[in-house]
């Protein structure tokens, strides 16, 4: 399992957070999250927190948008035959659906083609282009692909067919000679939002063609945007925010049927429901079958037809889950064998080609290395593959250097698809091992991840979720805030899931607890036995049987550094605070240490044979007993800073039911006011005052001594009178009061705390740490 080093995203001070929150009229939580994301400009904050349709950008800011519209207008007016060439993932399916519905709204009846993952491979396929050309098409529009199809597009142009490329993938060294290339990152024509997905680009074309009517399609653009894990920044936030609103209006028959099948409540619909329920089901179609049915689903107006497709989709998705589990388990042997490799290349043993990307992704998560997952394709006679890479490693750059080895290749920094001869794959595997070093990526280093908030379990509530949701939608570029809970315990540890690999537990601390789920974390919990750990996770709501409960989705948990210190100190210190000491027990120690002279002298008159020493004398025994407690906690701090003995028993000579007086400010004020307003009160008569005010006589004696020291009162001829103090005095100026506070610190830390808390406090000063 990959080791994770967690770092706080940034560390604004409490003063900075509160000042920012007050200036911008925000809660401290929202203020801290915005500061961590570098969002401080008022206009930028307003746009970020309140994205709406007004923030949609001019579609003509995209490269060649004017040319694309002119070509489409001409084709529609002349009733030309238009073909849409899409892709088989969720982004490609939604892109195709948006383009199809847009053209239909203009009065055209386009045909569409979704490549078959197994027959056509990734990206433009020349045979499929030939097939479409033979259909007599006049205009080809690619969506979510095409920018790497130089050869294929040249073929279409040679046949006299006009081509519009709409894409968002990384650009090749040489662009195809299409009639128009609508792409957000063309050099010299970079779009204001360079992070658009394929569906986002398709939506912008719809926006240019249809105006306000294009908003009917923004829900499909939102699905593609979420599914393709593009950065949720700028216009992408608007697309997702408005798209989720549109979905709740039940506008598309097929999408509504799919949401119902996923058991998604429209009232609670958010980007996570799309990412983990809707998108995987659309993706499953292209992984195991042909994704054309996904386009039919998203563009149909027939409810019964939509239900048929949705039922089929659910079956395919269930089969996909089983195939992934089997293949990933089978891959473990190869993963172990390549533990020293910087890039892992897996060869499938009968793996379904449609799940290669998922196997690569899971392996990447497990090993934090770039991964290529491949399987021999009998139809084409080549290895088909999918690649995934962690942040910090550009997989597209690494593979693009060896483009000549592939029969087909395309993708972007973190994900690629390809076809390659088997002997070339072996050559590629060897060449890729040098790439991590060239990119400055250490595949064996711990993964550095960011968390956002240091909280306690007591801080977690529904209002906190509402505050966090103000920064939604979450995704790439705006991750859902991760909460750190420090020094907590995992209790009621249970394994769940079909294979028992998932963890269900309670996270508990100081009387508070919260349900938690950790996918694939049961073995880790069992092996670490985490009694005290630091937990990292995302706060959510688990709704069951009509009840809503807070739930933490675990990202990680680690034995707390503090817990490690406590465990080491338990080998040195023994808790004797509730024991009865006999002379026989005391004689088992080499040295007995005293902080109070009275106890020291009394012990010297006893039959104790162990060496008796004061706390400031040299302690040379291996096994010692600290007999009593100091009046000042600083004395104990200084002692343990120098105490290098092997074993130390902590007795502190106290009855745990006895407590020092804790000064009560209200009672002190009551007594002082009484003394100021009454005359003829003698010092000997303070017991009557105590009874009248319902105070303990010991409290009154203590308070009165403090008042004398601060010159609040004085004794004149045996009577207590108000003193004529010339200046205000602080209670801490009273030696008696200060000493009592010091004793209270001793009481709270050395006596009242449980042993783990005591050792935790000691770990900050003890020389063994």
């Amino acid at each position: 399992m990959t080791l994770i080093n967690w770092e706080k995203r940034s560390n604004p001070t409490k003063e900075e957070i509160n000042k920012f929150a007050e200036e911008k009229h925000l809660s401290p939580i929202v203020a801290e999250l915005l500061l961590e994301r570098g969002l401080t400009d008022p206009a930028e904050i307003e746009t970020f927190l309140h994205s709406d349709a007004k923030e949609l950008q001019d579609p003509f800011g995209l490269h060649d948008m004017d040319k694309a519209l002119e070509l489409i207008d001409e084709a529609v007016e002349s009733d030309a035959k238009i073909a849409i060439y899409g892709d088989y993932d969720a982004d490609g399916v939604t892109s195709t659906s948006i383009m199809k519905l847009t053209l239909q709204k203009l009065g055209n009846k386009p045909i569409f083609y979704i490549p078959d993952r197994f027959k056509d491979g990734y990206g433009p396929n020349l045979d499929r282009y030939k097939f479409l050309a033979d259909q007599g098409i006049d205009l080809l529009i690619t969506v979510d692909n095409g920018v790497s199809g130089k050869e294929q597009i040249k073929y279409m142009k040679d046949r006299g067919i006009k081509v519009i490329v709409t894409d968002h993938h990384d650009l090749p060294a040489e662009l195809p000679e299409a009639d128009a290339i609508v792409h957000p990152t063309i050099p010299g024509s970079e779009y204001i939002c360079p992070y658009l997905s394929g569906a986002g680009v398709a939506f912008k074309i719809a926006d240019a063609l249809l105006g306000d009517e294009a908003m009917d399609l923004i829900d499909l653009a939102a699905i593609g945007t979420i599914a393709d894990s593009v950065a949720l920044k700028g216009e992408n936030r608007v697309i997702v925010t408005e798209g989720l609103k549109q979905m709740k209006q039940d506008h598309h028959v097929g999408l509504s049927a799919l949401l119902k099948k996923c058991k998604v409540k429209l009232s609670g619909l958010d980007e996570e429901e799309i990412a983990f329920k809707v998108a995987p089901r659309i993706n499953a179609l292209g992984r195991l079958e042909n994704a054309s049915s996904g386009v039919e689903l998203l563009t149909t107006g027939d409810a019964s037809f939509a239900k048929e497709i949705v039922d089929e989709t659910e079956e395919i998705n269930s089969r996909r889950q089983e195939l992934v589990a089997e293949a990933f388990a089978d891959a473990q042997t190869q993963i172990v064998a390549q533990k020293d490799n910087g890039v892992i290349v897996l060869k499938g043993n009968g793996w379904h080609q449609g799940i290669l990307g998922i196997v690569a992704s899971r392996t990447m998560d497990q090993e934090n290395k770039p991964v290529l997952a491949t399987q021999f394709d009998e139809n084409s006679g080549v290895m088909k593959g999918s690649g995934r890479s962690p942040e910090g490693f550009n997989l597209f750059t690494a593979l693009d250097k060896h483009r000549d080895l592939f029969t087909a290749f395309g993708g972007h920094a973190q994900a690629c698809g390809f076809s390659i001869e088997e002997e070339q794959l072996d050559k590629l595997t060897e060449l890729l091992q040098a790439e991590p070093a060239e990119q400055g990526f250490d595949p064996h280093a711990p993964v550095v991840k960011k968390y956002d908030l240091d909280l306690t379990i007591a801080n977690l509530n529904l209002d906190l979720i509402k505050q966090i949701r103000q920064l939604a939608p979450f995704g790439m570029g705006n991750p859902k805030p991760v909460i750190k809970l420090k020094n907590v315990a995992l209790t009621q540890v249970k394994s769940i899931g079909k294979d028992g690999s998932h963890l269900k537990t309670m996270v508990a601390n100081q009387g508070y607890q919260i349900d938690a789920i950790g996918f694939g974390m049961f073995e880790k919990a069992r092996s670490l036995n985490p009694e005290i750990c630091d937990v990292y996770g995302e706060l959510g709501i688990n709704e069951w049987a009509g009840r809503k409960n807070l739930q933490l989705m675990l990202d990680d948990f680690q034995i707390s550094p503090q817990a490690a210190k406590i465990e080491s100190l338990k080998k040195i210190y023994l808790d004797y605070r509730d024991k009865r000491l006999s002379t026989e027990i005391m004689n088992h120690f080499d040295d007995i240490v005293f902080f109070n002279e009275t106890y020291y002298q009394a012990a010297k008159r006893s039959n104790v044979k162990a060496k008796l020493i004061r706390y400031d004398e040299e302690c040379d025994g291996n096994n010692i007993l600290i007999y009593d407690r100091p009046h000042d906690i600083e004395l104990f701090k200084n002692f343990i800073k120098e105490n290098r003995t092997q074993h130390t028993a902590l007795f502190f000579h106290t009855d745990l039911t006895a407590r020092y007086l804790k000064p009560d400010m209200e009672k002190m004020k009551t007594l002082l006011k009484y003394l100021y307003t009454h005359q003829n009160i003698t010092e000997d008569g303070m017991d009557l005052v105590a009874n009248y005010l319902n105070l303990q006589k010991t409290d009154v004696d203590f308070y009165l001594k403090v008042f004398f020291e601060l010159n609040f009162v004085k004794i004149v001829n045996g009577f207590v009178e108000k003193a004529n103090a010339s200046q205000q005095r602080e209670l801490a100026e009273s030696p008696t009061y200060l000493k009592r506070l010091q004793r209270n610190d001793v009481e709270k830390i050395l006596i009242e705390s449980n042993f783990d808390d005591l050792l935790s406090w000691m770990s900050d000063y003890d020389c063994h740490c």
Side-chain angles (χ1 to χ4, degrees):
M1 183 170 290
T2 303
L3 178 65
I4 301 174
N5 285 347
W6 287 92
E7 299 177 353
K8 199 166 189 303
R9 196 172 301 281
S10 70
N11 284 289
T13 65
K14 187 174 183 180
E15 291 74 18
E16 289 172 334
I17 294 169
N18 290 337
K19 181 181 178 182
F20 185 70
E22 184 177 353
E23 289 176 349
K24 302 298 187 293
H25 307 291
L26 303 166
S27 73
I29 289 292
V30 174
E32 183 174 359
L33 293 173
L34 289 174
L35 285 171
E36 288 189 330
R37 284 154 175 74
L39 294 168
T40 57
D41 178 74
E44 192 176 9
I45 292 172
E46 177 64 24
T47 300
F48 187 87
L49 295 180
H50 306 289
S51 298
D52 59 35
K54 296 191 299 291
E55 301 299 327
L56 288 173
Q57 302 297 312
D58 181 1
F60 288 92
L62 278 160
H63 181 266
D64 279 356
M65 180 62 82
D66 52 346
K67 293 181 181 179
L69 258 64
E70 185 177 343
L71 290 166
I72 292 173
D73 284 340
E74 289 177 358
V76 170
E77 288 178 8
S78 63
D79 198 25
K81 191 169 185 178
I82 304 175
I84 305 165
Y85 192 97
D87 194 18
Y88 44 66
D89 64 3
D91 192 21
V93 168
T94 51
S95 301
T96 305
S97 300
I98 291 169
M99 192 61 68
K100 179 185 176 186
L101 290 171
T102 298
L103 294 174
Q104 287 178 346
K105 286 176 180 288
L106 294 173
N108 190 270
K109 295 181 179 180
I111 63 173
F112 71 90
Y113 186 81
I114 299 294
D116 188 295
R117 181 189 294 265
F118 317 109
K119 297 177 182 178
D120 305 327
Y122 178 82
N125 179 283
L126 184 57
D127 288 338
R128 295 304 104 196
Y129 273 38
K130 291 178 179 178
F131 169 78
L132 291 173
D134 291 342
Q135 302 300 305
I137 67 171
D138 302 296
L139 173 64
L140 174 69
I141 304 175
T142 72
V143 290
D144 193 33
N145 78 99
V147 76
S148 295
K150 180 181 178 182
E151 178 186 355
Q152 294 87 345
I153 290 172
K154 183 179 184 304
Y155 171 82
M156 300 299 271
K157 294 296 296 176
D158 290 343
R159 291 278 299 262
I161 299 170
K162 294 179 180 179
V163 180
I164 299 173
V165 171
T166 78
D167 201 352
H168 72 116
H169 291 95
D170 289 354
L171 299 173
E174 191 173 352
L175 295 174
E177 296 179 0
D179 294 277
I181 301 177
V182 183
H183 192 290
T185 63
I186 299 292
S189 300
E190 292 86 351
Y191 184 58
I192 191 170
C193 181
Y195 325 107
L196 289 175
S197 66
V201 175
F203 172 74
K204 297 307 294 182
I205 292 177
D207 187 14
L209 287 166
L210 303 175
D212 291 344
E213 195 176 349
M215 293 300 292
D216 292 344
L217 307 173
I218 200 169
D219 49 359
L220 303 183
I223 295 173
T225 300
I226 294 169
D228 219 47
S229 297
V230 292
L232 288 187
K233 299 179 180 180
E235 194 170 19
N236 280 349
R237 289 182 62 77
V238 182
I239 290 173
V240 172
T241 301
E242 292 298 316
L244 290 171
K245 293 178 184 177
Q246 179 76 2
M247 287 181 219
K248 294 177 182 179
Q249 295 179 15
D250 221 12
H251 183 71
H252 289 106
V253 171
L255 179 55
S256 297
L258 183 58
L259 291 171
K260 184 177 180 181
K261 192 69 174 183
C262 295
K263 298 180 180 178
V264 172
K265 291 185 177 180
L266 294 181
S267 59
L269 182 64
D270 61 19
E271 67 278 4
E272 289 189 16
E273 298 275 19
I274 301 301
F276 296 107
K277 293 182 179 180
V278 176
R281 284 168 168 81
I282 298 175
N283 278 325
L285 296 172
R287 293 188 184 283
L288 303 191
E289 303 289 343
N290 186 287
S292 296
S293 60
V295 178
E296 298 290 359
L297 174 65
L298 297 178
T299 59
T300 187
D302 187 330
S304 60
F305 180 50
K307 184 179 182 305
E308 290 179 16
I309 300 175
V310 165
D311 290 342
E312 178 188 357
T313 301
E314 191 68 17
E315 292 178 8
I316 292 172
N317 188 53
S318 297
R319 184 153 53 96
R320 185 267 306 171
Q321 292 173 328
E322 295 173 359
L323 291 171
V324 168
E326 293 171 1
F328 186 58
D330 184 45
Q332 295 306 310
T333 302
Q334 294 183 60
I335 294 171
V336 172
Q338 297 184 56
K339 67 181 187 305
D340 295 327
N341 286 6
V343 179
I344 295 175
V345 179
L346 304 173
K347 290 186 178 181
N349 179 25
W351 300 347
H352 197 289
Q353 290 179 34
I355 51 90
L356 295 177
I358 303 177
V359 173
S361 181
R362 290 198 179 181
T363 305
M364 178 201 71
D365 289 339
Q366 177 179 291
E367 303 297 319
N368 191 42
K369 295 178 180 179
V371 180
L372 305 182
T374 68
Q375 173 63 43
F376 182 75
D377 178 44
E378 294 183 357
N379 292 327
S380 63
V382 299
M383 303 293 289
K384 297 291 183 70
S386 288
R388 299 290 186 272
S389 67
E391 289 186 27
F393 186 90
N394 191 313
L395 186 60
F396 183 87
T397 298
L399 297 183
D400 194 43
K401 291 180 180 180
H402 312 290
R403 184 179 283 269
D404 59 308
L405 298 179
F406 297 99
T407 58
F409 164 68
H412 47 80
Q414 262 58 65
C416 293
F418 58 88
S419 298
I420 190 170
E421 300 283 349
E422 188 164 10
E423 58 270 21
Q424 299 288 51
L425 178 62
D426 294 335
K427 182 177 180 181
L428 177 68
T429 301
E430 184 177 347
L431 290 170
L432 287 177
Q433 301 314 316
E435 193 62 29
E438 290 185 21
Q439 293 195 24
F441 176 80
D442 184 356
H444 304 291
V447 178
V448 177
K449 290 190 176 183
K450 306 291 185 181
Y451 74 93
D452 300 86
L453 299 169
D454 282 295
L455 299 175
T456 66
I457 301 176
N459 299 138
L460 309 183
N461 51 51
L462 294 175
D463 184 61
L464 176 62
I465 292 179
K466 291 179 181 178
Q467 293 182 59
I468 290 175
R469 283 298 302 174
Q470 289 184 46
L471 278 77
F474 300 114
M476 288 290 292
N478 181 40
K480 189 173 184 180
V482 175
I483 295 168
K484 177 181 180 180
L485 301 175
K486 186 179 179 181
N487 295 334
V488 296
L490 300 188
T491 65
Q492 303 179 37
V493 173
K494 299 177 183 177
S495 66
I496 59 173
K498 290 183 179 179
D499 59 358
S501 65
H502 306 312
L503 169 67
K504 179 175 174 59
T505 185
M506 298 290 291
V507 181
N509 179 254
Q510 297 182 347
Y512 295 93
Q513 62 183 17
I514 182 174
D515 289 324
I517 298 291
F519 292 111
M521 293 186 180
F522 175 70
E523 283 301 322
K524 180 177 181 178
R526 186 166 65 173
S527 62
L528 289 183
N529 189 25
E531 294 183 357
I532 302 180
C533 59
D534 293 341
V535 162
Y536 302 86
E538 299 158 9
L539 188 62
I541 297 175
N542 178 35
E543 189 168 352
W544 179 255
R547 297 178 58 186
K548 292 183 178 181
N549 295 306
L550 291 177
Q551 180 175 270
L552 199 66
M553 298 302 299
L554 298 178
D555 292 307
D556 190 28
F557 54 88
Q558 301 175 350
I559 295 299
S560 166
Q562 193 75 359
K565 289 182 179 180
I566 291 172
E567 290 304 311
S568 68
L569 289 180
K570 281 183 178 179
K571 298 176 182 178
I572 299 166
Y573 290 94
L574 306 172
D575 191 1
Y576 270 47
R577 292 176 298 173
D578 59 350
K579 294 184 180 295
R580 291 184 177 275
L581 284 187
S582 64
T583 301
E584 181 181 1
I585 292 175
M586 294 172 68
N587 283 333
H588 281 99
F589 293 95
D590 300 323
D591 296 348
I592 300 179
V593 179
F594 295 86
F595 283 90
N596 297 279
E597 188 66 20
T598 302
Y599 295 136
Y600 173 70
Q601 294 298 336
K604 288 184 67 175
R605 296 190 295 269
S606 69
N607 295 323
V608 176
K609 297 178 182 179
K611 181 180 177 182
L612 309 178
I613 62 174
R614 297 179 178 87
Y615 71 93
D616 54 357
E617 296 176 339
E618 185 176 351
C619 181
D620 54 10
N622 287 326
N623 301 292
I624 70 170
L625 170 72
I626 297 180
Y627 183 81
D628 58 345
R629 58 189 174 187
H631 291 305
D632 186 346
I633 198 67
E634 293 298 322
L635 296 178
F636 186 68
K637 285 183 186 179
N638 292 331
F639 179 82
I640 62 176
K641 286 178 181 178
E642 303 297 331
N643 175 39
R644 301 185 181 280
T645 55
Q646 290 184 2
H647 298 98
T648 300
L650 305 174
F651 179 53
F652 295 143
H653 186 57
T654 182
D655 180 350
L656 290 178
T657 62
R659 293 290 180 263
Y660 285 125
L661 168 68
K662 293 179 173 60
D664 187 315
M665 299 298 295
E666 291 302 319
K667 290 180 179 179
M668 293 182 76
K669 291 178 181 178
T670 299
L671 176 61
L672 187 62
K673 181 178 180 180
Y674 186 87
L675 296 177
Y676 280 2
T677 56
H678 291 75
Q679 299 178 350
N680 303 321
I681 300 175
T682 65
E683 189 174 8
D684 294 336
M686 293 305 295
D687 54 341
L688 297 176
V689 174
N691 288 334
Y692 180 76
L693 296 178
N694 196 27
L695 299 175
Q696 295 293 325
K697 178 61 166 58
T698 53
D699 290 4
V700 170
D701 291 342
F702 167 70
Y703 297 150
L704 190 61
K705 188 174 182 180
V706 172
F707 296 159
F708 286 152
E709 292 176 349
L710 296 176
N711 200 28
F712 290 166
V713 298
K714 60 184 178 179
I715 302 294
V716 178
N717 298 324
F719 290 94
V720 179
E721 296 182 4
K722 179 179 179 180
N724 295 318
S726 60
Q727 59 181 1
Q728 288 188 336
R729 304 288 298 276
E730 298 291 335
L731 287 175
E733 295 181 58
S734 162
T736 297
Y737 186 83
L738 187 60
K739 187 175 181 179
R740 182 57 52 85
L741 290 183
Q742 292 171 341
R743 290 187 176 186
N744 285 339
D745 285 341
V746 172
E747 179 84 2
K748 181 179 180 180
I749 295 170
L750 302 187
I751 307 303
E752 293 181 355
S753 62
N754 63 47
F755 195 45
D756 278 354
D757 288 343
L758 173 59
L759 293 181
S760 177
W761 176 85
M762 289 173 59
S763 68
D764 289 335
Y765 312 101
D766 190 87
C767 61
H768 298 91
C769 296

